[in-house]
mmCIF file of all heavy atoms in Angstrom:
data_model
loop_
_atom_site.group_PDB
_atom_site.id
_atom_site.type_symbol
_atom_site.label_atom_id
_atom_site.label_comp_id
_atom_site.label_asym_id
_atom_site.label_seq_id
_atom_site.Cartn_x
_atom_site.Cartn_y
_atom_site.Cartn_z
ATOM 1 N N LEU I 102 -10.543 -9.722 6.493
ATOM 2 C CA LEU I 102 -10.380 -10.164 7.874
ATOM 3 C C LEU I 102 -9.160 -11.073 8.044
ATOM 4 O O LEU I 102 -8.434 -10.967 9.039
ATOM 5 C CB LEU I 102 -11.646 -10.870 8.355
ATOM 6 C CG LEU I 102 -12.844 -9.957 8.598
ATOM 7 C CD1 LEU I 102 -14.104 -10.770 8.854
ATOM 8 C CD2 LEU I 102 -12.574 -9.005 9.741
ATOM 9 N N ILE I 103 -8.907 -11.942 7.081
ATOM 10 C CA ILE I 103 -7.721 -12.803 7.152
ATOM 11 C C ILE I 103 -6.448 -11.949 7.065
ATOM 12 O O ILE I 103 -5.446 -12.231 7.734
ATOM 13 C CB ILE I 103 -7.766 -13.882 6.052
ATOM 14 C CG1 ILE I 103 -8.858 -14.902 6.365
ATOM 15 C CG2 ILE I 103 -6.426 -14.570 5.881
ATOM 16 C CD1 ILE I 103 -8.638 -15.716 7.621
ATOM 17 N N THR I 104 -6.486 -10.891 6.270
ATOM 18 C CA THR I 104 -5.346 -9.980 6.183
ATOM 19 C C THR I 104 -5.099 -9.284 7.519
ATOM 20 O O THR I 104 -3.948 -9.164 7.962
ATOM 21 C CB THR I 104 -5.577 -8.938 5.071
ATOM 22 O OG1 THR I 104 -5.786 -9.624 3.840
ATOM 23 C CG2 THR I 104 -4.423 -7.987 4.940
ATOM 24 N N LEU I 105 -6.156 -8.848 8.164
ATOM 25 C CA LEU I 105 -6.008 -8.222 9.479
ATOM 26 C C LEU I 105 -5.528 -9.223 10.523
ATOM 27 O O LEU I 105 -4.750 -8.874 11.424
ATOM 28 C CB LEU I 105 -7.332 -7.591 9.918
ATOM 29 C CG LEU I 105 -7.745 -6.336 9.164
ATOM 30 C CD1 LEU I 105 -9.147 -5.917 9.567
ATOM 31 C CD2 LEU I 105 -6.752 -5.221 9.418
ATOM 32 N N PHE I 106 -5.964 -10.464 10.420
ATOM 33 C CA PHE I 106 -5.488 -11.523 11.312
ATOM 34 C C PHE I 106 -3.985 -11.710 11.152
ATOM 35 O O PHE I 106 -3.236 -11.796 12.132
ATOM 36 C CB PHE I 106 -6.248 -12.821 11.010
ATOM 37 C CG PHE I 106 -5.919 -13.965 11.917
ATOM 38 C CD1 PHE I 106 -6.233 -13.912 13.264
ATOM 39 C CD2 PHE I 106 -5.310 -15.100 11.429
ATOM 40 C CE1 PHE I 106 -5.942 -14.979 14.108
ATOM 41 C CE2 PHE I 106 -5.018 -16.167 12.255
ATOM 42 C CZ PHE I 106 -5.336 -16.098 13.602
ATOM 43 N N ALA I 107 -3.521 -11.740 9.908
ATOM 44 C CA ALA I 107 -2.089 -11.870 9.631
ATOM 45 C C ALA I 107 -1.326 -10.651 10.150
ATOM 46 O O ALA I 107 -0.212 -10.790 10.684
ATOM 47 C CB ALA I 107 -1.850 -12.053 8.142
ATOM 48 N N ALA I 108 -1.891 -9.463 10.018
ATOM 49 C CA ALA I 108 -1.235 -8.256 10.520
ATOM 50 C C ALA I 108 -1.113 -8.282 12.037
ATOM 51 O O ALA I 108 -0.086 -7.874 12.600
ATOM 52 C CB ALA I 108 -1.997 -7.009 10.074
ATOM 53 N N GLY I 109 -2.139 -8.771 12.712
ATOM 54 C CA GLY I 109 -2.073 -8.888 14.166
ATOM 55 C C GLY I 109 -1.006 -9.872 14.608
ATOM 56 O O GLY I 109 -0.251 -9.617 15.545
ATOM 57 N N LEU I 110 -0.924 -11.003 13.904
ATOM 58 C CA LEU I 110 0.128 -11.969 14.229
ATOM 59 C C LEU I 110 1.513 -11.407 13.934
ATOM 60 O O LEU I 110 2.456 -11.644 14.690
ATOM 61 C CB LEU I 110 -0.079 -13.262 13.441
ATOM 62 C CG LEU I 110 -1.192 -14.181 13.916
ATOM 63 C CD1 LEU I 110 -1.278 -15.401 13.015
ATOM 64 C CD2 LEU I 110 -0.970 -14.596 15.353
ATOM 65 N N ALA I 111 1.644 -10.669 12.841
ATOM 66 C CA ALA I 111 2.937 -10.077 12.490
ATOM 67 C C ALA I 111 3.366 -9.056 13.546
ATOM 68 O O ALA I 111 4.544 -8.993 13.902
ATOM 69 C CB ALA I 111 2.861 -9.425 11.118
ATOM 70 N N ALA I 112 2.428 -8.276 14.046
ATOM 71 C CA ALA I 112 2.767 -7.309 15.091
ATOM 72 C C ALA I 112 3.140 -8.016 16.386
ATOM 73 O O ALA I 112 4.019 -7.559 17.124
ATOM 74 C CB ALA I 112 1.596 -6.359 15.326
ATOM 75 N N ALA I 113 2.506 -9.146 16.660
ATOM 76 C CA ALA I 113 2.797 -9.878 17.893
ATOM 77 C C ALA I 113 4.135 -10.599 17.822
ATOM 78 O O ALA I 113 4.904 -10.590 18.784
ATOM 79 C CB ALA I 113 1.681 -10.877 18.184
ATOM 80 N N LEU I 114 4.436 -11.197 16.681
ATOM 81 C CA LEU I 114 5.644 -12.020 16.570
ATOM 82 C C LEU I 114 6.863 -11.262 16.060
ATOM 83 O O LEU I 114 7.989 -11.678 16.313
ATOM 84 C CB LEU I 114 5.374 -13.224 15.661
ATOM 85 C CG LEU I 114 4.304 -14.188 16.151
ATOM 86 C CD1 LEU I 114 4.077 -15.278 15.132
ATOM 87 C CD2 LEU I 114 4.701 -14.778 17.488
ATOM 88 N N ARG I 115 6.633 -10.195 15.306
ATOM 89 C CA ARG I 115 7.712 -9.376 14.743
ATOM 90 C C ARG I 115 8.694 -10.173 13.896
ATOM 91 O O ARG I 115 9.885 -9.885 13.856
ATOM 92 C CB ARG I 115 8.470 -8.660 15.857
ATOM 93 C CG ARG I 115 7.642 -7.774 16.737
ATOM 94 C CD ARG I 115 7.402 -6.471 16.111
ATOM 95 N NE ARG I 115 8.680 -5.789 15.932
ATOM 96 C CZ ARG I 115 8.866 -4.520 16.012
ATOM 97 N NH1 ARG I 115 7.860 -3.757 16.274
ATOM 98 N NH2 ARG I 115 10.032 -3.994 15.806
ATOM 99 N N SER I 116 8.194 -11.202 13.222
ATOM 100 C CA SER I 116 9.038 -12.033 12.384
ATOM 101 C C SER I 116 8.192 -12.568 11.233
ATOM 102 O O SER I 116 7.273 -13.358 11.459
ATOM 103 C CB SER I 116 9.620 -13.185 13.192
ATOM 104 O OG SER I 116 10.231 -14.119 12.337
ATOM 105 N N ALA I 117 8.522 -12.143 10.024
ATOM 106 C CA ALA I 117 7.759 -12.600 8.861
ATOM 107 C C ALA I 117 7.850 -14.110 8.658
ATOM 108 O O ALA I 117 6.823 -14.749 8.394
ATOM 109 C CB ALA I 117 8.213 -11.858 7.608
ATOM 110 N N PRO I 118 9.033 -14.726 8.779
ATOM 111 C CA PRO I 118 9.071 -16.188 8.630
ATOM 112 C C PRO I 118 8.240 -16.913 9.686
ATOM 113 O O PRO I 118 7.608 -17.922 9.388
ATOM 114 C CB PRO I 118 10.551 -16.537 8.775
ATOM 115 C CG PRO I 118 11.274 -15.290 8.412
ATOM 116 C CD PRO I 118 10.382 -14.173 8.859
ATOM 117 N N ALA I 119 8.223 -16.414 10.905
ATOM 118 C CA ALA I 119 7.418 -17.047 11.954
ATOM 119 C C ALA I 119 5.930 -16.935 11.641
ATOM 120 O O ALA I 119 5.179 -17.899 11.827
ATOM 121 C CB ALA I 119 7.726 -16.415 13.305
ATOM 122 N N VAL I 120 5.499 -15.770 11.160
ATOM 123 C CA VAL I 120 4.089 -15.587 10.820
ATOM 124 C C VAL I 120 3.698 -16.508 9.667
ATOM 125 O O VAL I 120 2.655 -17.162 9.713
ATOM 126 C CB VAL I 120 3.791 -14.109 10.473
ATOM 127 C CG1 VAL I 120 2.393 -13.949 9.923
ATOM 128 C CG2 VAL I 120 3.971 -13.241 11.697
ATOM 129 N N MET I 121 4.533 -16.593 8.647
ATOM 130 C CA MET I 121 4.236 -17.486 7.526
ATOM 131 C C MET I 121 4.264 -18.947 7.970
ATOM 132 O O MET I 121 3.462 -19.758 7.513
ATOM 133 C CB MET I 121 5.236 -17.280 6.379
ATOM 134 C CG MET I 121 5.062 -15.967 5.654
ATOM 135 S SD MET I 121 3.543 -15.926 4.713
ATOM 136 C CE MET I 121 2.500 -14.913 5.707
ATOM 137 N N GLY I 122 5.179 -19.263 8.867
ATOM 138 C CA GLY I 122 5.264 -20.624 9.379
ATOM 139 C C GLY I 122 4.054 -21.022 10.209
ATOM 140 O O GLY I 122 3.759 -22.201 10.353
ATOM 141 N N ILE I 123 3.375 -20.049 10.769
ATOM 142 C CA ILE I 123 2.154 -20.321 11.532
ATOM 143 C C ILE I 123 0.925 -20.268 10.628
ATOM 144 O O ILE I 123 0.078 -21.147 10.665
ATOM 145 C CB ILE I 123 2.004 -19.326 12.697
ATOM 146 C CG1 ILE I 123 3.063 -19.602 13.750
ATOM 147 C CG2 ILE I 123 0.615 -19.396 13.308
ATOM 148 C CD1 ILE I 123 3.132 -18.569 14.834
ATOM 149 N N LEU I 124 0.821 -19.215 9.819
ATOM 150 C CA LEU I 124 -0.394 -19.015 9.025
ATOM 151 C C LEU I 124 -0.603 -20.067 7.948
ATOM 152 O O LEU I 124 -1.727 -20.521 7.760
ATOM 153 C CB LEU I 124 -0.387 -17.629 8.373
ATOM 154 C CG LEU I 124 -0.781 -16.477 9.257
ATOM 155 C CD1 LEU I 124 -0.757 -15.184 8.466
ATOM 156 C CD2 LEU I 124 -2.145 -16.690 9.855
ATOM 157 N N ILE I 125 0.434 -20.434 7.239
ATOM 158 C CA ILE I 125 0.245 -21.376 6.131
ATOM 159 C C ILE I 125 -0.265 -22.721 6.643
ATOM 160 O O ILE I 125 -1.292 -23.204 6.175
ATOM 161 C CB ILE I 125 1.511 -21.485 5.271
ATOM 162 C CG1 ILE I 125 1.688 -20.170 4.505
ATOM 163 C CG2 ILE I 125 1.428 -22.662 4.310
ATOM 164 C CD1 ILE I 125 2.957 -20.058 3.729
ATOM 165 N N PRO I 126 0.376 -23.340 7.620
ATOM 166 C CA PRO I 126 -0.200 -24.598 8.115
ATOM 167 C C PRO I 126 -1.542 -24.392 8.821
ATOM 168 O O PRO I 126 -2.452 -25.198 8.686
ATOM 169 C CB PRO I 126 0.837 -25.131 9.100
ATOM 170 C CG PRO I 126 2.069 -24.377 8.849
ATOM 171 C CD PRO I 126 1.683 -23.089 8.209
ATOM 172 N N PHE I 127 -1.668 -23.294 9.579
ATOM 173 C CA PHE I 127 -2.875 -23.053 10.363
ATOM 174 C C PHE I 127 -4.085 -22.843 9.460
ATOM 175 O O PHE I 127 -5.146 -23.408 9.698
ATOM 176 C CB PHE I 127 -2.644 -21.836 11.264
ATOM 177 C CG PHE I 127 -3.694 -21.638 12.309
ATOM 178 C CD1 PHE I 127 -3.825 -22.524 13.355
ATOM 179 C CD2 PHE I 127 -4.539 -20.548 12.258
ATOM 180 C CE1 PHE I 127 -4.783 -22.340 14.329
ATOM 181 C CE2 PHE I 127 -5.497 -20.346 13.222
ATOM 182 C CZ PHE I 127 -5.619 -21.246 14.270
ATOM 183 N N LEU I 128 -3.928 -22.024 8.424
ATOM 184 C CA LEU I 128 -5.063 -21.684 7.570
ATOM 185 C C LEU I 128 -5.283 -22.669 6.421
ATOM 186 O O LEU I 128 -6.396 -22.802 5.935
ATOM 187 C CB LEU I 128 -4.896 -20.275 6.991
ATOM 188 C CG LEU I 128 -4.905 -19.140 7.995
ATOM 189 C CD1 LEU I 128 -4.695 -17.818 7.298
ATOM 190 C CD2 LEU I 128 -6.194 -19.119 8.787
ATOM 191 N N LEU I 129 -4.240 -23.321 5.975
ATOM 192 C CA LEU I 129 -4.390 -24.170 4.800
ATOM 193 C C LEU I 129 -4.470 -25.661 5.102
ATOM 194 O O LEU I 129 -5.021 -26.408 4.305
ATOM 195 C CB LEU I 129 -3.235 -23.912 3.823
ATOM 196 C CG LEU I 129 -3.147 -22.507 3.260
ATOM 197 C CD1 LEU I 129 -1.945 -22.379 2.346
ATOM 198 C CD2 LEU I 129 -4.418 -22.138 2.522
ATOM 199 N N MET I 130 -3.901 -26.105 6.211
ATOM 200 C CA MET I 130 -3.840 -27.546 6.432
ATOM 201 C C MET I 130 -4.508 -28.005 7.727
ATOM 202 O O MET I 130 -5.198 -29.020 7.729
ATOM 203 C CB MET I 130 -2.376 -28.003 6.442
ATOM 204 C CG MET I 130 -1.691 -27.841 5.121
ATOM 205 S SD MET I 130 -0.005 -28.455 5.088
ATOM 206 C CE MET I 130 0.822 -27.400 6.237
#
């Protein structure tokens, strides 16, 4: 489910650095 969440964000933002910049702080911190 977390993988699908990341895929949805990647499709919405179309930028891997932006998705990582959101997911890492959002999910880990």
Side-chain angles (χ1 to χ4, degrees):
L102 288 171
I103 290 295
T104 302
L105 289 173
F106 184 65
L110 285 179
L114 298 177
R115 302 279 297 214
S116 169
V120 171
M121 289 291 104
I123 290 172
L124 280 181
I125 290 174
F127 191 68
L128 296 178
L129 298 178
M130 294 183 296

